[in-house]
Amino acid sequence: MALALGPILGGALVDGFGWRAVFWVNLPIVAAAIVCTALFVPESRAARGRRVDPIGQLLVILLLGSVVYAIIEAGSLGWTSPAIVGLLLLAVLAAVGLLVYEPRRADPLLELHLFRSIPFSSAILIALFALCGFGAFLFVTTLYLQNIRGLQALTAGLCLLPVGALIMVLSPFTGRIVGSRGPRLPLAVAGTALALGAGASLWIDATTPLPIVLAVYLLFGIFLGTVNPPITNSAVSGMPTSMAGLAASVASAARQTGTTVGVAVAGAIIGSTVSAGPRAFTTAEHRVWWPIVGLGLAILALALLRHATCPAAEKESVTGRAGRA
């Protein structure tokens, strides 16, 4: 529902109150969330609460922040500039710090041994790839609809309503398929839909009829509606109960990281062409779609690889959940 309503409400806020309203609206939402959590969410039943890992948090912030900032600024400063090289070096040092420090903690922020699980590792990669592609799609599409097609923010949001509606319809249906047959088929459909959507977007320009454009966007709705449920399933399958929450949270963090990187990369590619005219924008836009085609094919390959390497674990996960239900 959030994905369906977000672009519409965001467009209405921008048209009615300006772009800053998109940020201000979060304050009452967060306040309501805090109050409702305090009133209605029960306390954790874990035998022992995990301790905070401030050093691990700082290292993750340095790693992600440095990479994203380097991607954004490399277009203007150049990849060989001292600032960009320094940021990338800082990211490498932060990654090394995580690999050295986290295994020595009793309650690490990142349980690195979880990545020895093929289903978990593939789920994290799929989450990164999937939301990187979708984040880039939303960023490019919003600019295309408003700057190239001349639509108002609210109208552009309404154009994305079919995408959100497909996600709402397909997600519960996909969940049932994952529960009965495992995640392979939905992931294969998702990867194929992302690759086809990005490939079809290569043919879109400033004069493409809007109904055709919106029909292409439906492929991205199919993609996200079928990729999210199996990500969480794959992340927690085979995990002990005590680690299920941590595994799911890492998968969720991978989604947010993928979205951030996708927007940063897309912005670095097309940012300077927004005011340069339709032809310059669509030419740059095509340089975004080709990597997304690759991301879709990578998701498809990971889905097939996961099934080939751990079919027994997948079957046990599905039948185990069915038995508990």
Side-chain angles (χ1 to χ4, degrees):
M1 289 180 65
L3 286 167
L5 297 176
I8 300 171
L9 296 178
L13 287 169
V14 170
D15 281 346
F17 303 99
W19 63 267
R20 290 175 177 82
V22 174
F23 296 95
W24 285 114
V25 73
N26 290 283
L27 296 182
I29 293 174
V30 169
I34 292 173
V35 172
C36 290
T37 300
L39 292 176
F40 303 114
V41 176
E43 187 52 81
S44 170
R45 299 302 183 191
R48 182 181 62 85
R50 294 175 65 88
R51 290 180 293 177
V52 177
D53 181 7
I55 295 179
Q57 291 175 333
L58 177 61
L59 290 172
V60 170
I61 291 170
L62 289 175
L63 172 59
L64 298 180
S66 299
V67 169
V68 171
Y69 192 75
I71 292 172
I72 293 172
E73 295 298 328
S76 57
L77 299 179
W79 285 102
T80 58
S81 69
I84 300 303
V85 172
L87 285 168
L88 295 177
L89 179 60
L90 180 60
V92 171
L93 292 176
V96 172
L98 284 169
L99 293 175
V100 173
Y101 175 76
E102 291 297 279
R104 300 181 179 182
R105 275 190 59 88
D107 293 318
L109 177 69
L110 291 176
E111 294 278 3
L112 297 179
H113 70 273
L114 295 180
F115 290 91
R116 299 172 186 169
S117 164
I118 291 177
F120 178 79
S121 297
S122 63
I124 300 306
L125 282 177
I126 290 171
L128 282 168
F129 294 165
L131 273 298
C132 181
F134 196 74
F137 159 74
L138 283 180
F139 183 81
V140 172
T141 297
T142 302
L143 291 177
Y144 170 80
L145 292 174
Q146 294 186 69
N147 292 66
I148 306 303
R149 303 305 292 249
L151 302 180
Q152 295 296 315
L154 177 58
T155 308
L158 288 171
C159 288
L160 294 174
L161 178 60
V163 176
L166 261 179
I167 296 169
M168 286 176 57
V169 171
L170 288 177
S171 292
F173 178 71
T174 301
R176 288 193 290 271
I177 294 178
V178 172
S180 60
R181 300 181 58 184
R184 183 194 184 196
L185 177 59
L187 287 175
V189 171
T192 302
L194 180 60
L196 290 176
S201 298
L202 291 166
W203 301 95
I204 294 176
D205 57 27
T207 61
T208 303
L210 195 56
I212 294 178
V213 174
L214 299 183
V216 171
Y217 291 170
L218 292 179
L219 289 167
F220 291 93
I222 295 172
F223 152 68
L224 201 65
T226 54
V227 79
N228 263 324
I231 286 176
T232 302
N233 171 273
S234 296
V236 303
S237 63
M239 293 289 170
T241 304
S242 60
M243 287 292 172
L246 179 61
S249 67
V250 174
S252 180
R255 291 188 183 97
Q256 310 311 318
T257 302
T259 301
T260 304
V261 172
V263 172
V265 170
I269 293 174
I270 68 172
S272 61
T273 67
V274 172
S275 59
R279 185 177 181 85
F281 180 88
T282 52
T283 299
E285 183 184 9
H286 291 168
R287 296 201 297 271
V288 177
W289 297 127
W290 279 116
I292 297 178
V293 170
L295 291 175
L297 295 177
I299 292 172
L300 176 61
L302 285 170
L304 299 178
L305 175 65
R306 182 193 184 282
H307 181 76
T309 53
C310 53
E314 180 172 301
K315 180 178 179 182
E316 187 278 331
S317 174
V318 173
T319 55
R321 284 191 305 275
R324 288 191 296 272

